[in-house]
């Protein structure tokens, strides 16, 4: 309320509501990210809500303000990870260049997400502990990402920038290999995400055979 006025300006209540909603969402994401870290470190079944609360230095009832239960936490962690993959792959395609170039860009962003908390949770935990409907939702997201790989491979074959192959097998092989980065990546390791992406992609696309200088 402004000085000398008996009522607030029309937008003040909405601004206040928006700020509170934004702050709540930030805290909710913090809860989910902390949970993803715990799941990645200890496993889903071995992690309790008490463990997550301790990591956040809050009480267990505080967790329930942001999520209903542990299953919802896992669903949201995996969903966010998959949507990060989907969004990142969309952002690096459609800007010109060959399908091969776009495939490399998608693979690079894929590795980047796989080295993040939510991305690692997609692979280290996944949707298996969830109920049927949740699993179906997440698998639909996975299919969407798989189809992007296949489309790029098929386009590359058609234009001659990628060698003829079974696009389904190729997409599964590429995504499977890159996903496994989430299993062994360590933030304190010798290689950062960018270096891992470069080396992994070079091996997958060029193989191990010696090449001329």
């Amino acid at each position: 309320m402004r000085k000398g006025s008996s009522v607030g300006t029309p937008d003040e209540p909405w601004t206040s509501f928006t700020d509170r909603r934004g702050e709540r969402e930030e805290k909710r994401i913090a809860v989910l990210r902390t949970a993803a870290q715990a799941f990645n470190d200890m496993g889903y079944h071995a992690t309790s809500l008490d463990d997550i609360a301790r990591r956040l230095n809050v009480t267990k009832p505080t967790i329930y303000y942001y999520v209903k239960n542990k299953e919802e936490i896992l669903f949201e962690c995996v969903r966010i990870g998959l949507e990060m993959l989907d969004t990142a792959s969309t952002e690096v395609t459609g800007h010109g260049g060959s399908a091969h170039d776009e495939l490399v860009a998608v693979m690079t962003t894929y590795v980047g997400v796989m080295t993040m908390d939510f991305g690692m949770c997609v692979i280290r935990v996944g949707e298996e502990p969830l109920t049927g409907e949740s699993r179906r939702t997440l698998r639909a997201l996975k299919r969407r990402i798989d189809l992007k790989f296949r489309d790029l491979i098929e386009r590359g074959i058609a234009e001659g920038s990628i060698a003829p192959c079974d696009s389904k097998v190729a997409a599964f092989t590429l995504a499977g290999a890159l996903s496994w980065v989430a299993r062994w990546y360590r933030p304190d390791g010798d290689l950062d995400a960018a270096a891992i992406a470069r080396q992994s992609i070079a091996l997958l696309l060029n193989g191990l055979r010696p090449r001329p200088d």
Side-chain angles (χ1 to χ4, degrees), residues 72-114:
E72 182 187 18
I73 292 177
L74 178 59
F75 173 82
E76 287 298 308
C77 288
V78 176
R79 180 190 63 80
I80 291 172
L82 290 173
E83 289 191 347
M84 288 171 66
L85 288 172
D86 188 40
T87 299
S89 62
T90 298
E91 289 176 348
V92 298
T93 56
H95 303 298
S98 68
H100 180 278
D101 292 338
E102 290 195 355
L103 179 62
V104 170
V106 169
M107 293 170 72
T108 301
T109 60
Y110 197 101
V111 172
V113 174
M114 285 295 106

Side-chain angles (χ1 to χ4, degrees), residues 2-91:
R2 293 180 178 177
K3 185 176 179 180
S5 172
S6 60
V7 296
T9 57
D11 61 334
E12 282 177 345
W14 293 107
T15 301
S16 177
F17 173 74
T18 301
D19 290 346
R20 288 198 304 272
R21 185 172 59 182
E23 182 180 354
R24 183 182 184 280
E25 183 60 19
E26 287 180 5
K27 291 181 178 178
R28 181 173 179 273
I29 293 297
V31 169
L32 295 174
R33 181 174 288 108
T34 300
Q37 292 167 353
F39 294 157
N40 293 336
D41 293 342
M42 302 187 296
Y44 174 73
H45 294 295
T47 302
S48 67
L49 291 181
D50 288 317
D51 293 323
I52 298 169
R54 277 193 294 271
R55 288 186 176 221
L56 286 163
N57 196 29
V58 299
T59 62
K60 184 176 177 179
T62 301
I63 301 292
Y64 287 115
Y65 178 68
Y66 301 101
V67 292
K68 295 177 182 177
N69 49 45
K70 195 170 82 165
E71 180 168 328
E72 182 187 18
I73 292 177
L74 178 59
F75 173 82
E76 287 298 308
C77 288
V78 176
R79 180 190 63 80
I80 291 172
L82 290 173
E83 289 191 347
M84 288 171 66
L85 288 172
D86 188 40
T87 299
S89 62
T90 298
E91 289 176 348

Side-chain angles (χ1 to χ4, degrees), residues 159-173:
E159 71 185 21
S161 63
I162 294 175
C165 61
D166 184 315
S167 62
K168 179 178 180 180
V169 173
F172 282 167
T173 300

